Amino acid sequence: MSTPYDLPADTSKIKEFEWDDHYDFPRDLVGYGENSFDPKWPGGAKIAVSFVINYEEGAEHTVLNGDMHSETHLWEAPGGAPKIQERAVNIESEYDYGSRSGVWRLFRLFNKFNYKYTLYAVGKAIEDNPAVGLSSVKNGHDVASHAYRWIDYANMPPEQEKAYIKKEIETIAKICGEPPKGWYYGRLSSRSQTLVWEVYKEMGVSLLWDSDSYADDLPYWVDVPAEKNEKDPKGMLMIPYSYDCNDYKFNVPTGFGSPTHFYDHVKNAFDTLYEEGCEGSPKMMTIALHCRCIGKPGRFMALKRIVEYIASKENVWVATRTQIAEHFREKFPYEKGYLAPGVKRAEASNTINAWPAHKAAPV
């Protein structure tokens, strides 16, 4: 299979991948399997719906933040090469729309319906506009971490990344009154999940969930490689995120062509998962939002229609990610080697062409 990326002409000099027992999490290609898993949502709900608002404005790549280039990601006219050491005023003002206008349009909608959202707050962003975090806390919403800067962390040295993680925890705690209980990077490095675990442990702060996974429609536990020698491992609860029902697809060529497309897609996803729940396999659904995307007036009405549609259905639990995590942790506490009690994890080990341990390898 060909790769779409540019590679050096002489690939023999590229260092082969080496598994890291401290940072690398094994893959699980099996999950809960054909019969799924009943999360026993409160009140017998058939589906748990999690609205997530990504608040990134002001924390993106820009020379004003000391970066070498401007942001080109997720705005109304994507593409083009980064402008090195030059302000991209048009992109900056596009992001500013989210923080000045779009965010409050979203907040008013959810407060009107008394639907609690999770705010994925980038630390630098709420430092520049603390009212966003304060309003969320005041109205009983969940403020989680979206890292201190909304940038790529792939090539950042571990100690620098740990310093950013600590600064993010301290920033949210200072502005919102308590540290974030959950974490979502989005643009993480291969070390990020373990580094988050390490910093929370070193600071004595509880990490209830992590969302840097797109692997399932249900929460699940993973073993933390760095805990392998711990006498009392705690594991990490994954609350999967979604690029599927995500308004960022307004800003990519293969995404939503109109607000109607967004509404139809999200409604279809809800109907499918709701039906599965009614048939005995309740699921979780994430609806991911960005202030500068769905916060635009022409798109906003599609979101309003979705909220109204969900409100018309019975046995729906609209919950924050922390509420979902607290429920799952209480009902299904961590057991090493298990996705949930009674459901053993089928990990593909750190070898090439690995085969899940619960199946016989093909002859």
Side-chain angles (χ1 to χ4, degrees), residues 55-198:
Y55 188 70
E56 303 154 347
E57 283 75 5
E60 77 280 1
H61 284 289
T62 169
V63 294
L64 298 181
N65 285 334
D67 303 314
M68 289 186 64
H69 62 83
S70 58
E71 186 63 68
T72 61
H73 196 51
L74 294 189
W75 71 295
E76 293 294 318
K83 297 184 177 182
I84 305 299
Q85 297 295 9
E86 180 181 338
R87 289 186 66 185
V89 178
N90 53 348
I91 300 177
E92 290 173 8
S93 63
E94 171 71 25
Y95 273 74
D96 293 349
Y97 183 91
S99 62
R100 292 162 57 120
S101 185
V103 65
W104 303 116
R105 188 168 287 124
L106 298 184
F107 283 10
R108 286 192 295 270
L109 174 66
F110 290 112
N111 290 335
K112 176 182 177 180
F113 280 82
N114 197 29
Y115 277 177
K116 303 306 178 186
Y117 58 77
T118 293
L119 184 75
Y120 279 172
V122 180
K124 176 68 169 64
I126 61 170
E127 275 184 340
D128 292 342
N129 193 358
V132 170
L134 293 173
S135 175
S136 296
V137 172
K138 176 184 175 182
N139 289 290
H141 303 288
D142 182 23
V143 180
S145 170
H146 196 13
Y148 180 72
R149 289 285 315 282
W150 195 66
I151 56 176
D152 297 306
Y153 289 85
N155 298 315
M156 184 176 288
E159 290 307 313
Q160 182 181 358
E161 188 175 353
K162 286 186 71 172
Y164 267 117
I165 294 168
K166 182 179 180 181
K167 188 170 185 178
E168 165 73 347
I169 295 171
E170 292 173 341
T171 297
I172 291 182
K174 179 180 179 181
I175 293 173
C176 299
E178 63 177 358
K181 295 182 174 67
W183 196 282
Y184 173 69
Y185 258 109
R187 302 170 82 170
L188 72 170
S189 74
S190 61
R191 299 178 294 271
S192 294
Q193 287 178 303
T194 296
L195 292 175
V196 168
W197 173 85
E198 286 181 347

Side-chain angles (χ1 to χ4, degrees), residues 245-251 256 262 288-291 293-295:
C245 294
N246 192 315
D247 68 355
Y248 95 97
K249 292 166 75 174
F250 280 115
N251 298 130
F256 303 123
F262 175 78
L289 310 168
H290 296 74
C291 306
C293 295
I294 203 70

Side-chain angles (χ1 to χ4, degrees), residues 21-25 193-194 197-198 200-201 207 221-237 329 334-337 345:
D21 285 331
H22 185 78
Y23 291 116
D24 284 324
F25 287 73
Q193 287 178 303
T194 296
W197 173 85
E198 286 181 347
Y200 269 79
K201 184 178 180 182
L207 177 64
W221 288 99
V222 296
D223 300 330
V224 178
E227 282 189 317
K228 63 183 177 181
N229 296 321
E230 298 276 341
K231 292 183 179 180
D232 184 27
K234 305 299 182 184
M236 183 180 288
L237 180 62
R329 296 174 76 94
Y334 171 68
E335 294 181 15
K336 187 176 181 179
R345 187 178 306 107

Side-chain angles (χ1 to χ4, degrees), residues 22-43:
H22 185 78
Y23 291 116
D24 284 324
F25 287 73
R27 292 181 69 180
D28 175 2
L29 303 175
V30 177
Y32 286 113
E34 182 178 1
N35 296 321
S36 190
F37 179 80
D38 185 357
K40 301 187 185 303
W41 298 134

